[in-house]
């Protein structure tokens, strides 16, 4: 996978994960063009399109578009499964996820994505393991918070 | 950074904790992508990692092995040994029952299955033994996978791709095509898209198997979805063969009428190509092209007009038929430029056939001379006509002056009006035709005779003959022809003057009296002293040739024509050639014909050098070339060594 973008129906970018090194300007340009192209598609059209020399796989969940760019040799149908798996993970974690959850807890969304995909390849195929890893990371955060609360800075 | 950390990553690969190991494996994948030389560090651990039970690590390992095999053939050979092991892993996956952790809708760990299948594909490509080991497994996966949900379809799709790419048994290949056929009938658009894409890849190797699904493919043409119809169009064009050409062209033409504009050009050129390759009869061919031109005339390629005129010219028995059909088509609609150009040419050539009597193949059409002339005038005056079209119409009018029986006043009037047209090309033609009427009326019939059939890709002379009739873009060809031979041609016309059917080639665009000027020149055109041509430079397809001319009346003068020809696949741009001679010589460099030498032997760049050598000293010439080719800037300085003695004696 080369990159994954999440954007709303109005074209606002909610999440972007790039697995290829590109300059900021290029990223913005690609994002703009791709968002326009995908939003122009009608609801009944198929989920795959060819854009530049990449294959784009996109799926709409409620008000969010999940869009992945894959290389020529990758399997499009399994990419749809990848997108679906990611949505399931988010759902399990946030409990019935909606766009607001992703907007306000975007760092968690990135953590989950990073546990699921690494460098554009699927890292962990078991839902349970991914969620376990996230839970452990959360626990670490909690522990840190407690430590900071208890530390006193009074001389 | 990769090089420094490679050993660390390797150590982490063998650590006990699975969490770190799966990440380490994928890191290794990326390192190899960045620095392929590190492959030999990561090769040994792979065999051990394959024994893992943890799916994440297994998945990462498969990806790592895939990456290694893609980058180096040695690794590929090495990993062929693990094919049986992979087969075993996949078999276990397929046969184990439902596992809550890894299954998606009845398919256990589709991600891992797809990845293994992909690796098997790479290992089995062009290798009989490995392919044989996989045969059973592939059959098992293909038949046992549950296809009600997308996950199963994804695995099935990957299986089909693997079957197609490896040396699998014939039965298996048939199974694969059948699966794709089933996909095509699926209601899910995604699946259909995927099926069409794979069938397109298969059509070269298993043509007959794909032919069986032709009706379904044609159905998909009617999809409103643009990606699907594009794929279906490509596949349909690939499936056209001599037996189904009529039916397919029918379908494709109805598609052309309703398709979105971006697909029109492809569809039109596809139909024309298919018609050219498989046309059962010439009449059908002409009909098809006519229909394409009327529906999508503006989107056809430029050479469609030339092809059609040549085709019509060759089909003698169909002249009357084609000119009638073209006339009726033109009468209805003069906006489609290629159609108008062909129709104008036809009417000009075969106007007499149009007017005389009836033809059995079309309904009787009574056409009067005035109607024909009025139509051509309408084309000339219409704002929709391109300059090239106007040129065609004007020439057609001229030809009709000999074909029609009435008097030519109307034609003469039109031609003289265009003598003061703003467009220089039209003006030049009109003035020449005018002169033809006034001074050379006796030659008019001979010059405007029916054109002989032009060979496609004929010699330079024939192309020069045709350039008067053909599009303006071909005028460039005439200008590169050396002036000497043009003079000779014209003088032949004057001497023989017996229907050479050669219209006077256009020279400098000075209006008025051009013909008279040429014909008044003395007959003795000096033949240039022949000196052999010299190839002085060759590099990566770019060749530089020198040709020499010593005009007899000025013995001290040497004219060198430098010609640059490019036979490679890439254009040469910013081409600059400079020359230097010893102090006793005078050198004049004239402007080159251009600075881009197109690839594949396209139009060469020529430049004229004038060297004045009053002392008859031995000539020495140094050339400096600068250009851009294949993404590099090249500068070459060299001395021309083997100059023949005739150049300076």
């Amino acid at each position: 996978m080369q990159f994954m973008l999440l954007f709303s129906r109005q074209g606002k970018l909610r999440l972007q994960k790039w697995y290829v090194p590109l300059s900021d300007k290029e990223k913005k340009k690609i994002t703009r063009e791709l968002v326009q192209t995908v939003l122009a598609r009608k609801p009944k059209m198929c989920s795959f399109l060819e854009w530049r020399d990449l294959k784009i796989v996109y799926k709409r969940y409620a008000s969010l578009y999940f869009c992945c760019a894959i290389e020529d040799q990758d399997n499009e149908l399994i990419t749809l499964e990848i997108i679906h798996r990611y949505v399931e993970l988010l759902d399990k974690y946030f409990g019935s996820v909606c766009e607001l959850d992703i907007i306000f807890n975007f760092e968690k969304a990135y953590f989950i994505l990073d546990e699921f995909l690494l460098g554009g390849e699927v890292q962990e195929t078991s839902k349970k393991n991914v969620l376990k890893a996230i839970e452990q990371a959360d626990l670490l955060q909690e522990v840190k918070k407690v430590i900071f609360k208890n530390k006193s800075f009074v001389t | 950074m990769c090089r420094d950390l490679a050993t660390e990553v390797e150590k982490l690969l063998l650590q006990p904790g699975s969490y770190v190991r799966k990440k380490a494996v994928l890191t290794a994948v990326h390192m190899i992508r960045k620095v392929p030389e590190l492959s030999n560090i990561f090769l040994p651990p792979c065999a051990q990692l394959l024994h893992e039970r943890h799916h994440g690590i297994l998945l990462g390992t498969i990806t790592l092995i895939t990456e290694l095999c893609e980058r180096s053939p040695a690794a590929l050979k090495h990993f062929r040994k693990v094919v049986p092991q992979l087969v075993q892993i996949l078999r276990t996956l397929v046969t184990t029952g439902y596992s809550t952790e890894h299954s998606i809708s009845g398919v256990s760990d589709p991600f891992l299955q797809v990845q293994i299948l992909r690796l098997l594909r790479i290992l089995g490509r062009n290798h009989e033994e490995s392919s044989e080991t996989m045969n059973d497994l592939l059959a098992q996966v293909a038949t046992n996978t549950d296809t009600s949900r997308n996950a199963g379809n994804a695995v099935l799709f990957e299986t089909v791709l693997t079957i197609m790419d490896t040396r699998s048994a014939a039965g298996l290949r048939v199974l694969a095509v059948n699966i794709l056929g089933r996909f095509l009938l699926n209601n899910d658009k995604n699946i259909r898209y995927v099926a069409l894409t794979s069938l397109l890849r298969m059509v070269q190797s298993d043509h007959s198997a794909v032919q069986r699904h032709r009706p379904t493919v044609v159905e998909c043409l009617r999809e409103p979805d643009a990606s699907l119809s594009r794929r279906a169009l490509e596949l349909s064009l690939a499936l056209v063969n001599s037996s189904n050409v009529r039916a397919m062209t029918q379908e494709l033409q109805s598609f052309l009428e309703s398709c979105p504009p971006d697909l029109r050009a492809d569809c039109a050129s596809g139909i024309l190509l298919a018609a050219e390759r498989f046309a059962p009869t010439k009449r059908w061919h002409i009909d098809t092209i006519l229909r394409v031109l009327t529906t999508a005339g503006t989107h056809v390629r430029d050479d469609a007009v030339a092809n059609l005129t040549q085709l019509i010219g060759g089909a003698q028995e169909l002249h009357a038929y084609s000119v009638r059909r073209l006339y009726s088509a033109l009468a209805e609609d003069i906006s489609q430029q290629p159609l108008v150009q062909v129709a104008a040419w036809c009417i000009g050539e075969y106007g007499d056939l149009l007017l005389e009597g009836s033809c059995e193949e079309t309904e009787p059409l009574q056409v009067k001379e005035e109607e024909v002339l009025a139509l051509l005038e309408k084309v000339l005056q219409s704002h929709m006509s391109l300059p090239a079209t106007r040129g065609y119409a004007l020439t057609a009018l001229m030809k009709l002056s000999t074909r029609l029986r009435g008097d030519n006043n109307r034609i003469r009037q039109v031609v003289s009006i265009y003598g003061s047209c703003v467009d220089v090309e039209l003006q030049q033609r009109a003035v020449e035709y005018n002169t033809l009427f006034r001074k050379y009326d006796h030659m008019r019939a001979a010059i405007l005779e029916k054109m002989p059939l032009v060979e496609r890709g004929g010699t330079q002379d024939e192309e020069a003959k045709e350039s008067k009739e053909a599009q303006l873009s071909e005028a460039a060809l005439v200008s590169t022809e050396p002036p000497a031979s043009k003079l000779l041609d014209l003088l032949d016309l004057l001497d023989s003057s017996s229907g050479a059917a050669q219209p006077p080639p256009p020279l400098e665009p000075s209006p008025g009296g051009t013909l008279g000027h040429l014909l008044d020149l003395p007959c003795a055109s000096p033949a240039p002293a022949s000196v052999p041509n010299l190839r002085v430079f060759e590099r990566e397809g770019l060749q530089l040739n020198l040709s020499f001319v010593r005009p007899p009346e000025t013995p001290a003068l040497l004219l060198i024509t430098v010609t640059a020809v490019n036979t490679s696949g890439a254009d040469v741009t910013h081409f600059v050639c400079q020359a230097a001679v010893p102090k006793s010589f005078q050198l004049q460099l004239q402007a080159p014909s251009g600075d881009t030498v197109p690839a594949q032997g396209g139009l060469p760049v020529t430049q004229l050098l004038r060297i004045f050598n009053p002392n008859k000293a031995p000539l020495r010439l140094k050339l400096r070339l600068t250009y851009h080719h294949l993404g590099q800037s090249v500068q070459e300085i060299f001395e021309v060594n083997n100059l023949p003695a005739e150049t300076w004696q």
Side-chain angles (χ1 to χ4, degrees), chain B residues 44-57:
Chain B
C46 288
Q48 195 190 345
L49 285 169
L50 265 182
H51 293 286
E52 282 296 318
R53 305 278 308 278
H54 188 258
H55 281 220
I57 302 183

Side-chain angles (χ1 to χ4, degrees), chain A residues 41 44-48 50 74-75 77-78 80-82 85 115 119 121-126 129, chain B residues 19 22-23 30 33 54 56 59 101-102 109 118 150-151 154 157-158 189-190 193 225 227 231:
Chain A
R41 304 268 291 180
K44 289 294 178 115
M45 293 178 124
C46 84
S47 294
F48 314 125
E50 255 136 62
D74 289 337
N75 184 338
L77 297 174
I78 209 76
L80 277 175
E81 284 303 315
I82 292 179
R85 175 53 73 85
E115 284 300 323
E121 311 286 336
V122 176
Q123 194 191 145
E124 181 59 67
T125 53
S126 149
N129 288 352
Chain B
Y19 182 72
K22 69 183 186 206
K23 291 189 195 263
H30 265 267
R33 280 197 196 142
H54 188 258
L59 188 53
E101 254 192 83
H102 298 286
D109 210 343
R118 208 168 124 189
N150 188 45
F157 177 49
E158 196 71 31
K189 291 216 175 26
N190 298 333
Y193 178 89
D225 184 341
S227 339
R231 286 266 164 263

Side-chain angles (χ1 to χ4, degrees), chain A:
Chain A
M1 196 182 300
Q2 294 214 348
F3 57 85
M4 182 189 250
L5 303 173
L6 261 71
F7 49 90
S8 69
R9 292 273 311 274
Q10 285 74 38
K12 290 208 77 155
L13 197 62
R14 298 291 175 211
L15 201 137
Q16 51 176 323
K17 186 76 192 183
W18 298 82
Y19 296 111
V20 282
L22 288 170
S23 72
D24 246 350
K25 211 168 83 165
E26 281 170 18
K27 285 188 196 167
K28 284 207 175 58
K29 182 155 171 260
I30 291 178
T31 312
R32 221 177 335 133
E33 283 180 21
L34 200 52
V35 167
Q36 264 178 349
T37 318
V38 171
L39 286 177
R41 304 268 291 180
K42 297 199 205 62
K44 289 294 178 115
M45 293 178 124
C46 84
S47 294
F48 314 125
L49 58 107
E50 255 136 62
W51 182 78
R52 296 201 189 170
D53 56 342
L54 294 169
K55 297 201 266 200
I56 307 289
V57 180
Y58 72 93
K59 194 136 191 240
R60 185 172 146 220
Y61 286 88
S63 58
L64 268 184
Y65 280 90
F66 286 71
C67 183
C68 293
I70 55 177
E71 285 113 5
D72 234 3
Q73 24 350 358
D74 289 337
N75 184 338
E76 293 101 328
L77 297 174
I78 209 76
T79 316
L80 277 175
E81 284 303 315
I82 292 179
I83 295 179
H84 192 71
R85 175 53 73 85
Y86 181 50
V87 173
E88 280 178 358
L89 288 168
L90 288 172
D91 196 44
K92 204 70 190 289
Y93 181 76
F94 286 111
S96 191
V97 68
C98 63
E99 194 182 339
L100 283 173
D101 286 324
I102 303 190
I103 297 176
F104 287 117
N105 299 308
F106 62 90
E107 83 278 6
K108 289 284 192 291
Y110 276 110
F111 286 163
I112 298 179
L113 186 60
D114 285 337
E115 284 300 323
F116 177 45
L117 297 174
L118 186 63
E121 311 286 336
V122 176
Q123 194 191 145
E124 181 59 67
T125 53
S126 149
K127 258 197 282 192
K128 197 173 67 166
N129 288 352
V130 177
L131 292 168
K132 204 160 47 156
I134 301 288
E135 269 169 49
Q136 286 180 339
D138 280 347
L139 216 62
L140 228 65
Q141 256 190 330
E142 291 300 322
V143 171
K144 258 203 258 183
K145 258 194 232 165
V146 170
I147 293 179
F148 277 126
K149 251 198 214 154
N150 287 344
K151 241 191 176 37
S152 81
F153 291 95
V154 178
T155 46

Side-chain angles (χ1 to χ4, degrees), chain B residues 533-547:
Chain B
N533 285 4
L534 197 61
R535 170 169 301 176
V536 297
F537 174 74
E538 176 151 8
R539 179 179 157 160
E540 290 166 356
L542 180 65
Q543 296 162 357
L544 211 67
N545 291 331
L546 297 184
S547 59

Side-chain angles (χ1 to χ4, degrees), chain B residues 297-327:
Chain B
T298 35
H299 299 273
V300 296
R301 273 200 336 252
D302 296 328
D303 58 354
V305 175
N307 286 347
L308 185 55
T309 50
Q310 215 234 353
L311 186 68
I312 296 181
Q316 190 119 17
E317 63 283 5
L318 293 170
H319 284 169
Y321 171 73
S322 19
V323 73
R324 266 157 206 290
R325 292 231 29 214
L326 282 168
Y327 177 77

Side-chain angles (χ1 to χ4, degrees), chain B residues 38-188:
Chain B
L38 294 172
S39 322
N40 41 2
I41 300 188
F42 294 116
L43 206 97
C46 288
Q48 195 190 345
L49 285 169
L50 265 182
H51 293 286
E52 282 296 318
R53 305 278 308 278
H54 188 258
H55 281 220
I57 302 183
L58 207 47
L59 188 53
T61 314
I62 307 271
T63 319
L64 180 60
I65 300 180
T66 314
E67 209 52 45
L68 285 168
C69 290
E70 273 174 4
R71 307 238 159 205
S72 98
L76 187 60
K77 242 190 276 185
H78 173 87
F79 281 114
R80 288 226 168 93
K81 292 182 289 190
V82 303
V83 170
Q85 203 178 353
L86 291 169
V87 169
Q88 189 52 39
I89 298 175
L90 190 51
R91 189 166 280 144
T92 348
L93 265 182
V94 174
T95 45
T96 39
Y98 178 74
S99 120
T100 38
E101 254 192 83
H102 298 286
S103 302
I104 298 185
S105 53
V107 182
S108 37
D109 210 343
F111 302 116
L112 187 56
Q113 287 194 32
V114 163
Q115 209 59 14
I116 295 182
L117 284 166
R118 208 168 124 189
L119 180 56
L120 285 175
R121 184 157 86 233
I122 295 178
L123 291 174
R125 202 173 277 160
N126 289 332
H127 195 244
E128 284 291 347
E129 216 188 291
S130 317
S131 313
E132 238 169 299
T133 344
M134 303 178 212
N135 272 339
D136 288 333
L137 173 69
L138 292 173
Q140 192 182 4
V141 175
T143 38
N144 285 353
T145 317
D146 176 19
T147 55
S148 53
R149 305 294 296 277
N150 188 45
N153 284 327
V155 175
L156 213 51
F157 177 49
E158 196 71 31
T159 319
V160 166
L161 287 179
T162 307
I163 294 178
M164 272 160 36
D165 264 349
T166 57
R167 300 266 180 89
S168 37
L172 215 48
R173 293 185 94 93
V174 172
L175 181 61
V177 180
N178 288 345
I179 293 178
L180 286 178
R182 245 182 23 231
F183 274 4
L184 266 182
L185 296 166
N186 198 315
N187 282 331
D188 189 351

